[in-house]
Amino acid sequence: MTGHPAGTPIKGTTRLYAVLGDPIAQVQAPALMNPLFAQLQMDAVLVPVHARPENLEQIVRGLQHVENLDGMFVTVPHKVAVRRLADRCGPTVDIVGSANVLRREPDGSWLAENFDGSGFVAGLVGAGHDPRGRRVALVGAGGAGSAVAAALLTAGVDRLSVYDTDTSKLGALVARLGTYWPGRVSALTGPQLRDIDIAVNSTPLGMRPDDPLPFPLSALPPGSVVADIVMKPRETRLLREAAALGHPVHHGIHMLEGQLNSYRVFFDLR
């Protein structure tokens, strides 16, 4: 396994982590976490698990009974559904309604937390696109989008506009966020993004070559930043076309890179 400590075979003492998704081929977590395990000289490995939605509960329940499995990472489309499979939830999960990691506790119970949003904001700031005081539009109110929305508000955006084709999901998210950040978040009736500084795609659109754009680029103000949370391919159609129009672009991999320190603390990786 790439990233496992050099010269050390996976053996009976190896601690296991799994990343769950559907599809799974695009996940980047093993490429970041396994080298981290190697760097820390930990006898641990993260493996991808293809979990279809109809099998998610059965798979998670099975993994929770694997005694040498210490944690799970969760990606599309399971971040909302996996929340109810944890015994306890961290404060971010309660706010955004989704989780992207589960940790086995010393008593055998499972704690869910979500670092998508904080990782995304850390990546933005690191790339020189600090969202504080900016006008931001976010397309996609799913598990990752909810976390990104809350983190952007925490980071001090002046105004956050959100759009999703699922109007009930959109309304629920805006209402939930509004209780924590009154007057700073609103729902959009369509994906036309105007009068903003940063546009964010938090939908899965872009993972496949024939995906449509999550939002049209024609209405964006010149110089506005276009950010994507899709990690593979690195250069999504959205980012390619935005760059061709002269917009600064921000790649999805930065969201995962921004979470590494949070993962180290959450999983107590020494």
Side-chain angles (χ1 to χ4, degrees):
M1 288 287 178
T2 301
H4 197 257
T8 305
I10 294 175
K11 50 191 184 295
T13 57
T14 301
R15 306 305 299 180
L16 303 179
Y17 295 80
V19 53
L20 283 59
D22 178 34
I24 198 66
Q26 84 289 348
V27 295
Q28 300 297 300
L32 288 180
M33 292 304 299
N34 287 325
L36 177 61
F37 293 145
Q39 176 190 336
L40 298 174
Q41 298 186 327
M42 292 183 62
D43 184 16
V45 65
L46 173 64
V47 297
V49 174
H50 191 174
R52 298 191 185 281
E54 63 269 23
N55 300 323
L56 179 66
E57 181 169 2
Q58 185 178 5
I59 290 171
V60 171
R61 294 304 186 203
L63 290 172
Q64 287 173 336
H65 287 88
V66 176
E67 293 296 332
N68 62 334
L69 188 134
D70 293 334
M72 291 178 246
F73 295 76
V74 185
T75 187
V76 212
H78 303 314
K79 295 182 181 184
V80 173
V82 81
R83 176 191 180 194
R84 63 181 175 81
L85 302 178
D87 299 298
R88 294 188 299 113
C89 294
T92 302
V93 177
D94 289 332
I95 294 173
V96 306
S98 64
N100 77 331
V101 285
L102 286 85
R103 179 183 75 197
R104 185 193 299 276
E105 299 287 75
D107 63 359
S109 64
W110 286 82
L111 171 68
E113 191 48 279
N114 195 322
F115 299 112
D116 274 337
S118 59
F120 178 80
V121 169
L124 269 184
V125 173
H129 307 306
D130 192 335
R132 182 174 299 277
R134 314 286 291 278
R135 300 163 300 171
V136 182
L138 176 76
V139 175
S146 299
V148 169
L152 286 168
L153 289 162
T154 301
V157 299
D158 179 63
R159 187 185 75 219
L160 178 67
S161 305
V162 187
Y163 173 73
D164 196 283
T165 54
D166 186 331
T167 54
S168 61
K169 182 193 300 181
L170 173 63
L173 175 62
V174 170
R176 193 163 63 244
L177 295 176
T179 64
Y180 295 92
W181 296 279
R184 291 172 55 199
V185 58
S186 61
L188 293 171
T189 57
Q192 287 70 35
L193 311 183
R194 300 180 176 87
D195 300 323
I196 59 165
D197 304 303
I198 303 174
V200 183
N201 171 42
S202 60
T203 77
L205 292 176
M207 291 172 59
R208 304 173 186 83
D210 57 348
D211 279 346
L213 292 178
F215 51 83
L217 296 166
S218 56
L220 294 181
S224 54
V225 176
V226 177
D228 207 330
I229 71 163
V230 172
M231 299 180 194
K232 190 175 183 181
R234 174 180 169 83
E235 301 292 341
T236 60
R237 178 188 168 195
L238 176 70
L239 296 185
R240 289 198 310 272
E241 295 191 11
L245 292 171
H247 293 281
V249 298
H250 185 74
H251 297 87
I253 192 62
H254 297 305
M255 182 173 79
L256 184 57
E257 292 171 342
Q259 297 179 65
L260 276 181
N261 283 335
S262 297
Y263 291 152
R264 289 184 64 162
V265 174
F266 184 70
F267 288 114
D268 194 24
L269 304 178
R270 301 172 185 269

